[in-house]
Amino acid sequence: MITNDMTSALPFDDFRNLLATLPPADTAAEARALALFAKADKPKGSLGRIEDIAAWLAAWSGRAPPAVNRPLVAIFAGNHGVARHGISPRPVAATANAVELCAAGGAAVNQICIANDLGLKVFDLALDIPTADLTEDVALDERGCAATMAFGMEAIAGGTDLLCLGDLGVGNSTVAATLFAALFGGKGADWVGSGSGADAAMQARKAEVVDAALAFHGTSLRDPLEALRRVGGREFAAIAGAILAARIQKIPVLLDGLVATAAAATLHAANPAALDHCLLASLSPEPAHDRAAARLGLRPLLDLGVSHGEGAGAALAAGLVKAAALTSSGMAAAVR
C-alpha cells in the first residue's frame, strides 16, 4: 500500500513499482470453481457467463467456491476546471448536489444498494477546488495526483470482498474522452458523445476541447500516469488508486461506466495485466465506451442503456455477481 511517507524520488515511482509487480490470479481456486460446476448435475457450460463470473471470483479472492459477503460501492466525485468551456448542460454545482442526494439516501444508487444488500461510500474530492483547465494547464501536479490515488486506495479500508467503482463529476465525460484519445489515439470527434445531454453544438465544443488539450500536452501524454494527471481529474486518479489497492489485496472489482473505464485504461496502458481482476459492469450509451471496452478486452455484464453514472451500473451488476457466487456454493454443496 502507498503511505504518506513517500520514500522514492518522485511521487509516481511508488505506483510504477506496484504496477510492475502485480500479484497474479489464484489459478488453483479458479480451477476448483470450474470443477465444481463440471461435477454438478447439468449440461456442461449450461450456465454460461454465470460459471465464468464464479470462476473469476474464485481466481481473485482465492476462495472456491467463491463468496461475496461484504460488497461495497465506492463513488468518487470531482469537479473540473475545463467545465468553464460549456461542455455540459449541467452546472458544476450539480456534482455537489448529487453527492448530497446520495448522502440523504435519495439517489438511484442508494435504492439499488438496498435491493442488493451492498455497502455504499461516497467520496467528495475537493469539489470546491476544481482541477485546472486541461486545455491550458495540467489538471493535477504529480504530488497531488499521487496523493489522490493514495486516497482512492483507502476505499477498501474496513474490508470488502467485492469493490464496485463509480463516479460523479460534471464535465467528466469530456475528460474521459481526452484520456481515451491520449491513450488510444484519434481526435476529439472520435471519442466525445452526448454525455449528460449535450446537443450537436455542445458535442462539437467538447471535441474542440479534447483537441486543444491533446495539442497543449503533446508528447507528455505518452506516459500513462502523466496522461492521468495532465488530462484526468481527481475522481479518475482515485478510481485508479482503488483498482490498484484491490489488486494488491486480492479483491475483485466491478467497473461502472465511461469514467471508471477511462481511469482503468491508464493502468492498462502501464501494464496490460493490471485489469485482470476487473469486470466491466455496464456499458454506457456513449459510442466511445464500447470501443474503449473492446480495446481493453472488457465485456460488459449488463447493457441496459444506463448512463446515469454514480455507480448505478456496478451496483446492478453486483447483484448478478452475488447470484453467481451463491450458485457456485449452493451447487457445490449439493454435489458433496
Side-chain angles (χ1 to χ4, degrees), residues 6-335:
M6 294 286 187
T7 57
S8 56
L10 294 171
F12 278 157
D13 287 351
D14 295 290
F15 294 102
R16 296 189 198 282
N17 292 335
L18 288 176
L19 283 162
T21 57
L22 296 172
D26 187 332
T27 54
E30 180 181 25
R32 288 197 301 273
L34 291 172
L36 289 169
F37 278 119
K39 292 177 182 178
D41 185 15
K42 66 174 186 61
K44 182 179 179 180
S46 61
L47 288 173
R49 290 195 74 187
I50 293 297
E51 298 183 35
D52 296 336
I53 294 167
W56 167 78
L57 273 174
W60 291 106
S61 67
R63 292 181 290 182
V68 178
N69 298 315
R70 298 188 66 185
L72 173 68
V73 177
I75 302 171
F76 296 96
N79 276 327
H80 303 269
V82 75
R84 71 182 182 87
H85 293 284
I87 54 173
S88 174
R90 304 172 72 213
V92 172
T95 306
N97 293 341
V99 170
E100 291 173 4
L101 186 61
C102 285
V109 71
N110 295 96
Q111 321 320 318
I112 300 168
C113 286
I114 292 170
N116 288 328
D117 195 19
L118 312 173
L120 175 63
K121 293 181 181 179
V122 183
F123 300 92
D124 172 340
L125 300 173
L127 294 182
D128 55 333
I129 309 173
T131 55
D133 180 353
L134 51 81
T135 66
E136 60 185 29
D137 199 352
V138 295
L140 295 164
D141 62 27
E142 183 170 341
R143 186 170 296 279
C145 186
T148 306
M149 292 176 73
F151 179 82
M153 298 181 89
E154 295 301 318
I156 61 173
T160 180
D161 52 15
L162 178 67
L163 181 63
C164 310
L165 294 170
D167 70 276
L168 287 167
V170 170
N172 65 11
S173 67
T174 301
V175 176
T178 310
L179 270 174
F180 287 141
L183 297 170
F184 299 139
K187 298 181 178 180
D190 300 320
W191 294 104
V192 300
S194 62
S196 56
D199 59 18
M202 186 173 285
Q203 287 186 54
R205 195 153 57 244
K206 291 172 69 171
E208 291 171 359
V209 163
V210 173
D211 291 338
L214 296 175
F216 179 80
H217 296 281
T219 57
S220 298
L221 300 178
R222 292 175 182 172
D223 180 275
L225 293 183
E226 277 292 299
L228 177 63
R229 81 173 184 91
R230 285 175 172 272
V231 299
R234 292 191 182 93
E235 70 270 46
F236 293 81
I239 289 171
I243 294 169
L244 266 179
R247 178 59 166 269
I248 296 163
Q249 297 296 319
K250 303 298 287 288
I251 299 168
V253 171
L254 291 178
L255 302 171
D256 179 72
L258 188 74
V259 169
T261 303
T266 63
L267 301 179
H268 183 272
N271 182 343
L275 306 183
D276 289 352
H277 65 304
C278 302
L279 292 181
L280 179 59
S282 180
L283 196 64
S284 162
E286 293 277 293
H289 194 201
D290 189 22
R291 297 199 305 277
R295 293 287 293 267
L296 297 172
L298 294 172
R299 180 182 170 199
L301 295 178
L302 303 173
D303 188 2
L304 301 176
V306 175
S307 60
H308 191 51
E310 73 174 28
L316 286 165
L320 179 60
V321 173
K322 290 179 68 177
L326 287 170
T327 301
S328 177
S329 59
M331 296 186 79
V335 168

